[in-house]
Amino acid sequence: MPGKHQHFQDPEVGCCGKYFLFGFNIVFWVLGALFLAIGLWAWGEKGVLSNISALTDLGGLDPVWLFVVVGGVMSVLGFAGCIGALRENTFLLKFFSVFLGLIFFLELAAGILAFVFKDWIRDQLNLFINSNVKAYRDDIDLQNLIDFAQEYWSCCGARGPNDWNLNIYFNCTDLNPSRERCGVPFSCCVRDPAEDVLNTQCGYDIRLKLIFGICLAQNLMSDIKAVKANWVPHGDGYKLLNKEHFEKPWLILTVFESSVGSTAPELLSEGPGLNPTA
């Protein structure tokens, strides 16, 4: 209408979404920085920062890498999301969105590939675990990680206790002077809930006991088979042939007569040494 001025409001960014994204990412940023600081501190305590070549000396996985990599990614994402939301910077917000989307699709692709190539993944995982078993005593962080994993998943090695033969302290060779020879770490043991003090020596010589038990079971099975070989049908059951039967073969005839009837003499008489008239 003439004589009246129309006022147009400039578009504004929604405060709820802006500050929610800012608050979420500032927490993410702080946690990432904390993880990164813990990782760098651990490397400093182990002397890695003063000797970078030590990163490649460890035969297995250094768990500190997890803190450094995860902390670094979280810090970068948290910074981009936090500053992008606060300053309404579209470049940082695009970077934040694309980075999150990339991580999501990488996880999705990894899950699909793991399902399709599960046998190959299983073999690679076993190789990875065994390489860390070899380096169990080389790094205290790796040792704690393996102990935690074995206790949490109630396992021992990749396939079983014999995987610890790969470790120079636990293998069963005669040249191994270690007190832990033919043993396993304490994390392989099933802990007694009533036990107040952790028994860190429960795995000593445990595989020697297993080997002894296997040998004893095999000998027992051989004895059982040998005894069963001397049983013959008798009535509704079986009769054990003793030493006297083999010294006097015609005594076996009476056993067979009671079990197979009149056909027993004909059957037994065909074999040498079993003729009762001999």
Side-chain angles (χ1 to χ4, degrees):
M1 295 177 62
K4 291 186 177 181
H5 298 283
Q6 293 180 350
H7 298 280
F8 296 96
Q9 291 183 345
D10 294 331
E12 296 181 355
V13 177
C15 291
C16 292
K18 173 181 176 179
Y19 288 108
F20 175 79
L21 188 61
F22 169 77
F24 173 79
N25 280 283
I26 199 169
V27 173
F28 208 63
W29 188 9
V30 170
L31 288 176
L34 181 62
F35 273 42
L36 185 60
I38 291 174
L40 295 176
W41 171 79
W43 271 350
E45 288 293 310
K46 294 194 290 187
V48 173
L49 297 180
S50 58
N51 182 20
I52 302 299
S53 62
L55 288 174
T56 58
D57 293 341
L58 182 64
L61 170 70
D62 187 354
V64 178
W65 272 111
L66 298 176
F67 284 89
V68 173
V69 173
V70 172
V73 172
M74 289 177 63
S75 297
V76 171
L77 276 177
F79 173 81
C82 180
I83 302 301
L86 184 64
R87 304 296 298 173
E88 300 177 8
N89 187 307
T90 56
F91 173 77
L92 290 178
L93 289 175
K94 285 180 181 177
F95 174 80
F96 175 77
S97 301
V98 171
F99 209 145
L100 277 183
L102 182 62
I103 291 175
F104 171 76
F105 284 110
L106 285 176
E107 290 178 348
L108 183 62
I112 295 173
L113 290 174
F115 178 77
V116 174
F117 301 103
K118 54 186 176 182
D119 293 334
W120 182 83
I121 294 293
R122 187 184 298 111
D123 292 338
Q124 294 303 310
L125 183 60
N126 286 332
L127 290 174
F128 174 74
I129 294 174
N130 286 334
S131 67
N132 286 285
V133 164
K134 293 179 184 178
Y136 177 75
R137 291 295 190 200
D138 297 345
D139 183 79
I140 187 62
D141 294 324
L142 176 62
Q143 179 177 319
N144 291 333
L145 179 63
I146 292 176
D147 286 335
F148 169 78
Q150 291 192 143
E151 287 181 338
Y152 185 80
W153 282 295
S154 300
C155 60
C156 190
R159 293 185 176 89
N162 286 332
D163 287 341
W164 286 97
N165 268 332
L166 298 171
N167 189 281
I168 59 174
Y169 298 98
F170 294 97
N171 66 56
C172 288
T173 58
D174 295 332
L175 299 177
N176 183 10
S178 172
R179 178 62 188 87
E180 296 175 312
R181 174 179 174 270
C182 265
V184 292
F186 72 92
S187 53
C188 287
C189 303
V190 178
R191 188 173 179 181
D192 185 359
E195 194 176 58
D196 295 330
V197 180
L198 179 63
N199 181 11
T200 58
Q201 299 181 357
C202 62
Y204 284 14
D205 301 324
I206 191 67
R207 283 187 294 130
L208 276 177
K209 299 172 185 176
L210 291 175
I211 294 172
F212 176 75
I214 292 172
C215 294
L216 189 61
Q218 291 293 329
N219 289 334
L220 183 58
M221 287 171 59
S222 299
D223 291 344
I224 292 173
K225 289 180 180 178
V227 170
K228 284 186 175 180
N230 295 330
W231 286 82
V232 295
H234 178 65
D236 295 333
Y238 289 87
K239 183 176 180 64
L240 177 64
L241 300 179
N242 54 33
K243 184 178 179 181
E244 186 180 5
H245 288 101
F246 292 100
E247 291 176 350
K248 301 176 181 179
W250 60 85
L251 293 178
I252 303 177
L253 177 63
T254 57
V255 177
F256 275 94
E257 284 180 341
S258 59
S259 59
V260 297
S262 61
T263 59
E266 298 175 1
L267 293 173
L268 293 178
S269 62
E270 294 177 358
L274 295 179
N275 194 333
T277 61

